Amino acid sequence: FAPVKLRFSLYGKPNITSCRSWQEVRLVHTITQEKLRTLLHVLGYSEDAAEGTISQVQGWTDATFCAMANTTIGLEVQQQVAANTSCLAITFSLSELVNHLDLGVPFASHNMRMRIRKDTKLSDRLRLITERLNRELETSVALPRDVYRQVRHQLRDVPDLEADFLHSVQTHLFPVSITKERCDDLEW
């Protein structure tokens, strides 16, 4: 059972009783590849199995977060930041930017693209956030939910190692729009 974490959108003319006025906040866990490799070895993975898992997780990270970074908004961000900025940094910087209420970040994509292009306060802040995240996440991968749960399950009998794992993982809040289907699932 995972509780639904919601965030209310204050922009436009929100209707508090409408499911679509809310965003679901998802948790995304990242870890450096080296810490993941060490952990997998301690858990008894062979070198080949550990490298295979890391390769699989890196592929999932690239596919998932580069797809987001290559949207029209992500491409606009790429014009504002250093070349070779990671997809994780671009995606998480946009996610973090919406928490900067003083900027009044719009949710509509055409408004967001224009603001990134024309609003120097917003684009400067976005650049700073992206640069910081790019340094922090330089060798990191995002853990798919099933991999995170599997590792936590394997560590449940080794509290010291579990504590080290939890300390090594960074957790990012990632707001996503709630689809009509998801609203129906929640029986809103």
Side-chain angles (χ1 to χ4, degrees):
F1 162 60
V4 176
K5 297 155 223 52
L6 297 176
R7 170 190 151 128
F8 187 61
S9 171
L10 296 174
Y11 302 104
K13 296 181 181 180
N15 174 358
I16 196 166
T17 62
S18 170
C19 179
R20 298 299 303 264
S21 295
W22 295 81
Q23 291 181 320
E24 190 168 3
V25 179
R26 304 228 174 123
L27 302 178
V28 179
H29 304 287
T30 60
I31 189 170
T32 65
Q33 290 183 30
E34 191 54 42
K35 288 182 180 179
L36 180 58
R37 181 176 291 107
T38 300
L39 174 71
L40 294 173
H41 287 187
V42 170
L43 288 172
Y45 283 63
S46 69
E47 186 68 33
D48 287 344
E51 291 307 316
T53 299
I54 291 169
S55 178
Q56 177 187 10
V57 170
Q58 181 66 59
W60 180 84
T61 300
D62 291 343
T64 302
F65 292 91
C66 289
M68 290 183 234
N70 287 320
T71 63
T72 57
I73 294 172
L75 293 172
E76 197 64 50
V77 173
Q78 290 178 44
Q79 298 297 313
Q80 301 291 324
V81 299
N84 299 321
T85 299
S86 77
C87 295
L88 275 176
I90 290 169
T91 305
F92 287 151
S93 66
L94 284 167
S95 175
E96 188 175 313
L97 191 68
V98 299
N99 293 321
H100 292 238
L101 298 179
D102 64 308
L103 296 175
V105 177
F107 289 119
S109 60
H110 64 284
N111 291 337
M112 181 65 141
R113 287 190 309 271
M114 183 191 69
R115 289 281 305 280
I116 291 169
R117 206 176 300 134
K118 307 254 184 209
D119 184 337
T120 56
K121 183 177 178 181
L122 185 138
S123 60
D124 288 347
R125 181 104 41 102
L126 178 63
R127 198 171 4 271
L128 287 172
I129 293 168
T130 307
E131 288 169 1
R132 175 181 52 81
L133 287 170
N134 200 49
R135 282 190 308 275
E136 290 174 9
L137 299 167
E138 186 175 1
T139 62
S140 293
V141 291
L143 296 173
R145 181 184 301 177
D146 60 324
V147 172
Y148 180 80
R149 286 180 176 172
Q150 177 185 349
V151 170
R152 288 292 306 271
H153 181 74
Q154 290 174 319
L155 292 173
R156 72 174 185 238
D157 296 327
V158 191
D160 290 343
L161 194 54
E162 183 178 28
D164 187 48
F165 171 70
L166 293 173
H167 182 45
S168 298
V169 170
Q170 291 183 331
T171 302
H172 306 268
L173 301 178
F174 195 77
V176 295
S177 299
I178 301 177
T179 64
K180 180 184 179 334
E181 293 79 19
R182 181 68 172 140
C183 287
D184 293 343
D185 288 345
L186 295 172
E187 297 177 1
W188 196 282

